[in-house]
Amino acid sequence: MPATLDMALVAALDDERVDWRYKAMAPAFWGMTVAEVRDRRPRLSQLPTPLMTLSRPALDHNRDTVARWCAERRFELAPHGKTTMAPQLWAEQLEAGAWAITVANLAQLGVARAYGVSRTMVANSVISPLALHWIADEQQAYPDIEIWVWADSVRTVELMDEALNTRALQCGAAPAVHVLVERGGVGGRTGARDLATSVRVARAVAASPHLVLGGVAGYEGALAHDFDEQSLQVVRAYLRDVVEVHEQLVAAGLYDDAVPPVVTAGGSAFFDVVGEVLGPLVDTGTRVVLRSGAYVTHDDGFYRDISPLGARPRTSGPALRAALHAWVRVTSQPEPGLALFDAGKRDLPFDEGLPEVQLRRPRASGDSPVPLDGVTVTAVNDQLGFLSFDPNGAPPVRIGDELRLGLSHPCTAFDKWTLVPVIDDPDVNDPVVVDLVRTWF
């Protein structure tokens, strides 16, 4: 069954009052609730720059496209909630059939539980006794929830078992924690680097009275950053290693026959290869879980170029659409060929490529947006961005112009905004704000 969350708590976000704490909101809206702002359907021109927005049509399209892609292959989807840390968007993904929400650490798990997410996967090892005690308490208080964690060494399992045993002695037994054995790849991130280690970890989990061996996990995205054939072969070989661990655990009889084992992989860059290699496991009764997160907004940079449903598709289905945009204002033209705008590293992602200039908003009523070519973002400081263009021609921008930027890498965009306006159409003269999304970082 898909996971659930507490929709009443999500709805209660409408009652939050906006003020100076939310840089997306103009002073004219300070003191209003989120619902009151939304009901006024303000225009983009009524919000200050710098600003980041989400496109409602693109969000809907991306969410439904990947949900359908998984359903057609009988995969489960546990989208990585860390991308947005927005319970409103998690609720939409769960409503579309997501099996769980994936997070990366205790703080993010705390947000998920605060909003009542019933099944959560922590895509990391959890070895802090404080974190494990809290997980045990949470499971004891809410016996129907599921919290899944990863382990890549016997030492990790020992630390988990010790902490959970201590808590059981103090407070009584709690439902066991589901553990996935993490298989890593050479040059990748965490994860056991060979089959023998993976099996030893699984045996240690199976032997613990406080843990349940749930399956095998992996992450292929750290092993390649393009999609030439050599990179795809590296990803395929790694995913075959993940499958090999799972098959060994089946052969050893380490799984509980009453519970379908989970094999999970998949960021937003190579989910086509995950489908290719892990797909056959579905016919064996295995639950194959994709954990993509960035797909929900896609982008105008890294994922546009590498996604299987990006600019150069590698799988069937509609192309994903960029839902993220920044809106900035030109504030200075100190020399020919140079202009600066009012957003920097504290407002815009820059780790997977700098923003790209897309269009200039209308300068006067009745004008239309103007696509801009030959204008490039060359750098960002803390609060300023640098535009470069031909110093010998007529300047394509002037002080006061508002520009739309395409962004690269959703995972480092959302953490810069606590409240994100959702607009009806980023291509029209003056988009309408149709919602506000609250993030928790």
Side-chain angles (χ1 to χ4, degrees):
M1 295 292 292
T4 59
L5 51 59
D6 191 328
M7 290 303 299
L9 292 175
V10 174
L13 290 168
D14 279 357
D15 300 328
E16 188 166 0
R17 294 197 177 275
V18 300
D19 54 26
W20 51 267
R21 294 171 296 172
Y22 303 103
K23 63 182 179 180
M25 289 291 98
F29 299 113
W30 292 356
M32 295 183 186
T33 67
V34 166
E36 288 170 341
V37 175
R38 185 183 59 231
D39 291 347
R40 280 163 173 74
R41 294 177 65 82
R43 296 280 180 172
L44 185 71
S45 58
Q46 295 176 260
L47 300 180
T49 59
L51 181 68
M52 187 179 81
T53 63
L54 292 164
S55 162
R56 182 75 265 173
L59 286 173
D60 294 346
H61 169 82
N62 296 342
R63 178 199 65 224
D64 294 343
T65 293
V66 173
R68 186 164 51 247
W69 190 92
C70 289
E72 288 170 351
R73 291 155 179 80
R74 294 179 292 158
F75 294 172
E76 304 288 3
L77 180 61
H80 221 316
K82 75 175 178 62
T83 300
T84 65
M85 289 306 296
Q88 289 155 274
L89 299 182
W90 297 352
E92 294 179 10
Q93 291 169 306
L94 293 172
E95 179 66 22
W99 178 75
I101 294 295
T102 302
V103 296
N105 55 39
L106 176 66
Q108 294 173 6
L109 176 61
V111 175
R113 288 300 307 134
Y115 281 88
V117 177
S118 62
R119 183 183 295 116
T120 314
M121 182 182 298
V122 183
N124 272 310
S125 298
V126 178
I127 58 174
S128 162
L130 297 177
L132 290 162
H133 292 173
W134 179 81
I135 288 173
D137 293 347
E138 195 73 2
Q139 292 198 144
Q140 191 167 39
Y142 304 94
D144 292 335
I145 69 170
E146 297 176 23
I147 297 175
W148 299 63
V149 301
W150 294 7
D152 67 356
S153 72
V154 172
R155 175 61 175 161
T156 297
V157 177
E158 291 171 346
L159 290 170
M160 293 175 64
D161 188 66
E162 178 181 332
L164 292 171
N165 186 63
T166 298
R167 200 56 168 178
L169 292 174
Q170 293 172 339
C171 303
V177 176
H178 292 76
V179 179
L180 301 175
V181 176
E182 183 187 3
R183 176 65 159 94
V186 175
R189 300 196 312 198
T190 53
R193 291 302 198 253
D194 56 67
L195 176 62
T197 302
S198 301
V199 174
R200 284 197 297 272
V201 174
R203 291 188 181 279
V205 172
S208 168
H210 306 292
L211 306 173
V212 173
L213 179 62
V216 183
Y219 174 63
E220 74 289 343
L223 301 176
H225 286 82
D226 56 50
F227 61 93
D228 62 25
E229 189 54 35
Q230 182 178 357
S231 294
L232 295 179
Q233 288 296 350
V234 169
V235 173
R236 287 189 186 98
Y238 165 68
L239 292 169
R240 286 194 288 267
D241 289 342
V242 172
V243 171
E244 182 183 31
V245 174
H246 169 65
E247 292 174 340
Q248 285 287 315
L249 304 189
V250 171
L254 294 177
Y255 290 131
D256 182 343
D257 292 338
V259 181
V262 166
V263 177
T264 176
S268 294
F270 301 106
F271 59 80
D272 58 325
V273 187
V274 173
E276 171 193 330
V277 179
L278 269 56
L281 295 177
V282 173
D283 290 330
T284 69
T286 300
R287 180 174 280 124
V288 174
V289 179
L290 188 70
R291 301 191 315 279
S292 305
Y295 77 89
V296 73
T297 61
H298 197 51
D299 71 9
D300 279 311
F302 178 73
Y303 286 110
R304 176 185 59 194
D305 294 337
I306 201 171
S307 168
L309 290 173
R312 289 171 283 186
R314 306 189 305 272
T315 188
S316 61
L320 300 177
R321 304 173 188 169
L324 283 171
H325 296 95
W327 309 83
V328 300
R329 191 181 306 272
V330 177
T331 59
S332 177
Q333 286 182 283
E335 60 188 61
L338 173 66
L340 290 95
F341 57 82
D342 58 352
K345 294 179 180 178
R346 290 175 173 157
D347 311 296
L348 311 174
F350 57 91
D351 57 312
E352 290 285 2
L354 291 171
E356 65 175 29
V357 180
Q358 295 181 333
L359 57 80
R360 187 187 72 218
R361 293 201 63 226
R363 286 175 172 170
S365 177
D367 288 352
S368 297
V370 176
L372 288 182
D373 296 319
V375 183
T376 305
V377 178
T378 57
V380 285
N381 290 165
D382 285 353
Q383 308 287 180
L384 291 172
F386 292 72
L387 294 173
S388 175
F389 45 86
D390 183 359
N392 299 312
V397 298
R398 67 188 187 195
I399 293 174
D401 280 349
E402 292 183 56
L403 310 179
R404 189 185 82 190
L405 308 181
L407 303 179
S408 181
H409 202 202
C411 294
T412 51
F414 279 89
D415 62 337
K416 297 169 176 56
W417 296 89
T418 52
L419 198 64
V420 185
V422 182
I423 57 177
D424 63 343
D425 186 345
D427 296 322
V428 299
N429 289 11
D430 200 3
V432 175
V433 176
V434 296
D435 204 355
L436 298 166
V437 168
R438 180 72 155 88
T439 68
W440 300 94
F441 282 92

